[in-house]
Amino acid sequence: MEDLMAKGMKNAQNAVLSGCSAGGLTSILHCDNFRALFPVGTKVKCFADAGYFINAKDVSGASHIEQFYAQVVATHGSAKHLPASCTSRLSPGLCFFPQYMARQITTPLFIINAAYDSWQIKNILAPGVADPHGTWHSCKLDINNCSPTQLQTMQSFRTQFLNALAGLGISSSRGMFIDACYAHCQTEMQETWLRTDSPVLGKMSIAKAVGDWYYDRSPFQKIDCAYPCNPTCHNRVFDSNVHSEV
């Protein structure tokens, strides 16, 4: 950031911090720090794609992702870089989850996420360590392979995800595009960002929703109905040969 500011970014009239997956999480965690780099008159906002990871128990009842995040924070010494407004109240590992720290963010923030985020289903809800017999393997590769019981479990995960979104707080500066797709990262490819057949909520694509929110044309805070209600979804289908988990 210092390098970019020195190259002229400090003179920008409009600035946006964005990213997908780990980059989406980073866009949330460092949103206010990014804003602080610019003069008061600069329009600065952040939008995070597939970065709203939630603290939920896996199918075995274990807190796998909570332990994993605690280890990540300890390994990289991340505590000193996390918002003090959170670390003063909770353990640094918990402050890696947006649901515990996003409410304190003062910079306008837009969250783009699938309610059935494929990474979270694979690594938070049903990681390999919680599914030693591979019961979830086929389901995680393609949502069409999921049994009625597995779909019911995923619907419960969606409910937990929507409850965790309450951590954003209520503000007109917040934006939300939460679709009912089995996907992860929808802003990086034209097919899901802005194409004639891209996923829509309220007849609006992700690109249009983010653009209208960023330029203050209109707010956008929409949460999709439950799977499989949205026919515009581009649901991910994974190759079993390159399936990876944490």
Side-chain angles (χ1 to χ4, degrees):
M1 287 302 173
E2 291 172 357
D3 184 56
L4 290 170
M5 294 299 278
K7 284 180 165 60
M9 191 169 74
K10 66 179 184 294
N11 301 315
Q13 293 180 314
N14 299 288
V16 62
L17 180 66
S18 69
C20 127
S21 195
L25 175 59
T26 302
S27 298
I28 299 171
L29 296 176
H30 293 296
C31 186
D32 280 344
N33 289 339
F34 181 70
R35 205 283 156 254
L37 296 174
F38 296 90
V40 176
T42 306
K43 180 192 285 290
V44 181
K45 298 187 179 185
C46 309
F47 77 85
D49 177 14
Y52 206 92
F53 300 98
I54 69 166
N55 186 14
K57 287 182 167 56
D58 62 33
V59 290
S60 74
S63 301
H64 173 70
I65 196 65
E66 183 176 321
Q67 295 167 10
F68 179 75
Y69 270 20
Q71 291 166 357
V72 169
V73 170
T75 298
H76 296 285
S78 305
K80 60 183 176 292
H81 300 297
L82 294 169
S85 59
C86 181
T87 55
S88 62
R89 298 179 294 109
L90 300 169
S91 68
L94 289 178
C95 294
F96 230 55
F97 291 99
Q99 69 199 78
Y100 300 122
M101 54 71 61
R103 189 182 298 269
Q104 279 73 45
I105 296 173
T106 58
T107 307
L109 173 66
F110 196 111
I111 301 295
I112 300 139
N113 229 103
Y116 309 89
D117 184 291
S118 56
W119 191 94
Q120 296 197 51
I121 296 297
K122 292 193 294 178
N123 296 284
I124 295 180
L125 179 63
V129 68
D131 181 35
H133 302 295
T135 307
W136 279 81
H137 181 72
S138 180
C139 171
K140 291 187 292 185
L141 293 177
D142 184 343
I143 196 170
N144 291 309
N145 296 335
C146 298
S147 69
T149 301
Q150 288 170 330
L151 286 174
Q152 186 176 7
T153 301
M154 289 167 68
Q155 298 293 9
S156 296
F157 181 84
R158 171 184 178 267
T159 299
Q160 291 182 74
F161 181 84
L162 297 184
N163 289 338
L165 277 177
L168 279 172
I170 300 171
S171 170
S172 59
S173 72
R174 299 283 196 247
M176 277 193 296
F177 190 107
I178 310 298
D179 58 29
C181 307
Y182 185 64
H184 184 68
C185 291
Q186 300 179 88
T187 64
E188 294 191 320
M189 296 178 294
Q190 195 70 7
E191 64 178 282
T192 46
W193 171 248
L194 180 63
R195 208 169 69 178
T196 54
D197 63 342
S198 291
V200 296
L201 274 182
K203 299 182 178 180
M204 192 171 291
S205 66
I206 297 172
K208 183 70 163 60
V210 171
D212 284 353
W213 164 82
Y214 183 84
Y215 289 107
D216 301 314
R217 291 190 288 258
S218 62
F220 193 93
Q221 296 180 343
K222 292 191 184 299
I223 296 174
D224 212 349
C225 44
Y227 175 87
C229 72
N230 191 336
T232 68
C233 279
H234 291 225
N235 292 322
R236 291 287 299 273
V237 177
F238 295 91
D239 184 342
S240 59
N241 294 320
V242 293
H243 183 52
S244 61
E245 297 175 352
V246 297

